[in-house]
Amino acid sequence: MDPFEAGAGSILKQPKAVWATAGASVVAFMGIGLVDPILPSIATGLHATASQVSLLFTSYFIITAIAMLVTGFVSSRIGGKKTLLLGLALVVVFAGLAGTSDTVGQLVGYRAGWGLGNALFVSTALAVIVGAAAGGSAAAILLYESALGLGMACGPLLGALLGDASWRYPFFGTAFLMAVGFLCVTAFLREQPKPARKTSLLDPVKALGHGGLASAAISAFFYNYTFFTVLAFTPFVLDMTPYKSGAVFFAWGVLLAVFSVLVAPRMQKRFGSLKVLGGSLVLLAADVLVLGYGDHTTAIVCTVLSGAFIGVNNTVYTELALGVSDAPRPVASAGYNFVRWFAAAAAPYFAPKIEEWTDIHIPFVVAAVTAVIGAAVVAVRRRALTHEAAELEPGHRTEDGVSAFAD
């Protein structure tokens, strides 16, 4: 049955609690790409260099990575609703403070606090949506995927619309929207039962002892370096107004959403998980290489097109991570995300540094190489990943896939 069709299992027939959590999830994912179109404006307004402003991503994702070891520990003790509200409250506070920054150092610090709040919220939101949704996990997961895609698409657009007046306004706007989300979750979401077993801080690290999960995490690490080179460095290369840059990354986000939710499942069903992932990584490598050496129009086209490959990769990677080991899914996901988010922190810092040391083309050469390395890890470690791959071979697709941002 199509989950978009009307009926008990429809994605559209959900309790208010699910819609409240999904709506807040949209805003949470908007925060990732929100600063994209205003990075040059922030650099100008705070008299900062591109490498200094890129630390907005680095601080955010370093804290997000470390927080992966904490989120399960917290939610298994205080419950899903309280964890969501704690995360939302932190985002409201630190996003608001970010808008008051007078120096790039202050802004980077506030983004770190924002990253902690976002990690607590995002890591818990999927479990809450699945637990509260009507019609089983398939509709709930698709709803979460849709929230992710909508957030990734609308983040740059909101950043452009508000940032055209002042680079500070997108931060205030996010704080306001997350405050609305806080009120909605408070009003509509009931506390869910706590898990029977409390998660320890070291459980995600121990889960990485499984060869398949470690392989997926290492490959995703290299892929994420490529992903966040595109997301954090390309705005400086395009050098466009906030409106134009926001439009480019909105189109990028739309492709990401469509290919993550609609295209990736169909491709996996026909070709199998590992073939789709390996092919998509190689195509992404070619795309960023052309982006780095093409003219301005080519760079715009390749930036938008990269959203398609990134959407496919995001979905397939997390399905592998969650299905390849016997660890509980929240624990496996936390361990996997703990590894891969460090690349999301590294790329925004190193890409502008590499440009300073060499020229504007080389950061994209490095990004292309890391994507190929990610594909090579998948090929070399195919045996370790075949358990999940077998389940996702044509005609045997599971319904357990969730987004790569699901924790």
Side-chain angles (χ1 to χ4, degrees), residues 185-271:
V185 170
T186 300
F188 298 120
L189 180 64
R190 296 179 180 177
E191 184 59 84
Q192 296 179 314
K194 297 178 184 178
R197 178 183 175 276
K198 294 181 179 179
T199 301
S200 77
L201 293 175
L202 293 180
D203 281 350
V205 176
K206 292 177 181 177
L208 290 170
H210 186 280
L213 182 60
S215 299
I218 292 170
S219 178
F221 174 89
F222 288 106
Y223 154 66
N224 268 261
Y225 185 94
T226 308
F227 176 5
F228 283 92
T229 297
V230 173
L231 189 63
F233 183 63
T234 302
F236 291 104
V237 176
L238 297 180
D239 192 23
M240 302 166 74
T241 65
Y243 274 125
K244 291 181 179 178
S245 183
V248 169
F249 278 95
F250 174 72
W252 169 86
V254 169
L255 274 189
L256 187 153
V258 169
F259 275 74
S260 177
V261 176
L262 301 178
V263 178
R266 288 167 172 78
M267 292 179 65
Q268 287 176 273
K269 186 176 181 180
R270 182 171 180 180
F271 300 109

Side-chain angles (χ1 to χ4, degrees), residues 5-275:
E5 293 177 1
S10 171
I11 187 176
L12 304 176
K13 299 290 185 179
Q14 299 296 336
K16 292 180 180 178
V18 172
W19 286 115
T21 307
S25 297
V26 171
V27 182
F29 288 120
M30 285 170 60
I32 295 177
L34 178 82
V35 299
D36 253 35
I38 58 171
L39 286 174
S41 299
I42 294 173
T44 301
L46 295 179
H47 308 290
T49 65
S51 59
Q52 288 175 322
V53 172
S54 70
L55 292 175
L56 293 176
F57 285 99
T58 299
S59 63
Y60 182 92
F61 286 114
I62 283 179
I63 297 301
T64 298
I66 296 173
M68 288 300 109
L69 303 180
V70 178
T71 53
F73 177 88
V74 173
S75 63
S76 65
R77 285 163 173 78
I78 68 174
K81 180 176 181 178
K82 291 179 181 177
T83 304
L84 287 180
L85 293 177
L86 176 60
L88 287 167
L90 287 172
V91 173
V92 170
V93 170
F94 284 104
L97 288 173
T100 67
S101 300
D102 294 319
T103 67
V104 70
Q106 290 179 353
L107 186 54
V108 168
Y110 293 142
R111 276 284 283 184
W114 184 345
L116 174 60
N118 218 49
L120 287 169
F121 176 83
V122 172
S123 65
T124 311
L126 177 62
V128 170
I129 289 175
V130 171
S137 62
I141 289 169
L142 186 55
L143 181 61
Y144 184 84
E145 289 273 12
S146 301
L148 183 154
L150 185 60
M152 292 295 288
C154 292
L157 194 62
L158 178 67
L161 292 174
L162 296 179
D164 188 60
S166 168
W167 66 263
R168 299 179 186 274
Y169 291 169
F171 298 108
F172 294 138
T174 299
F176 172 77
L177 290 174
M178 288 303 255
V180 174
F182 183 97
L183 295 175
C184 290
V185 170
T186 300
F188 298 120
L189 180 64
R190 296 179 180 177
E191 184 59 84
Q192 296 179 314
K194 297 178 184 178
R197 178 183 175 276
K198 294 181 179 179
T199 301
S200 77
L201 293 175
L202 293 180
D203 281 350
V205 176
K206 292 177 181 177
L208 290 170
H210 186 280
L213 182 60
S215 299
I218 292 170
S219 178
F221 174 89
F222 288 106
Y223 154 66
N224 268 261
Y225 185 94
T226 308
F227 176 5
F228 283 92
T229 297
V230 173
L231 189 63
F233 183 63
T234 302
F236 291 104
V237 176
L238 297 180
D239 192 23
M240 302 166 74
T241 65
Y243 274 125
K244 291 181 179 178
S245 183
V248 169
F249 278 95
F250 174 72
W252 169 86
V254 169
L255 274 189
L256 187 153
V258 169
F259 275 74
S260 177
V261 176
L262 301 178
V263 178
R266 288 167 172 78
M267 292 179 65
Q268 287 176 273
K269 186 176 181 180
R270 182 171 180 180
F271 300 109
S273 180
L274 298 187
K275 290 179 181 178

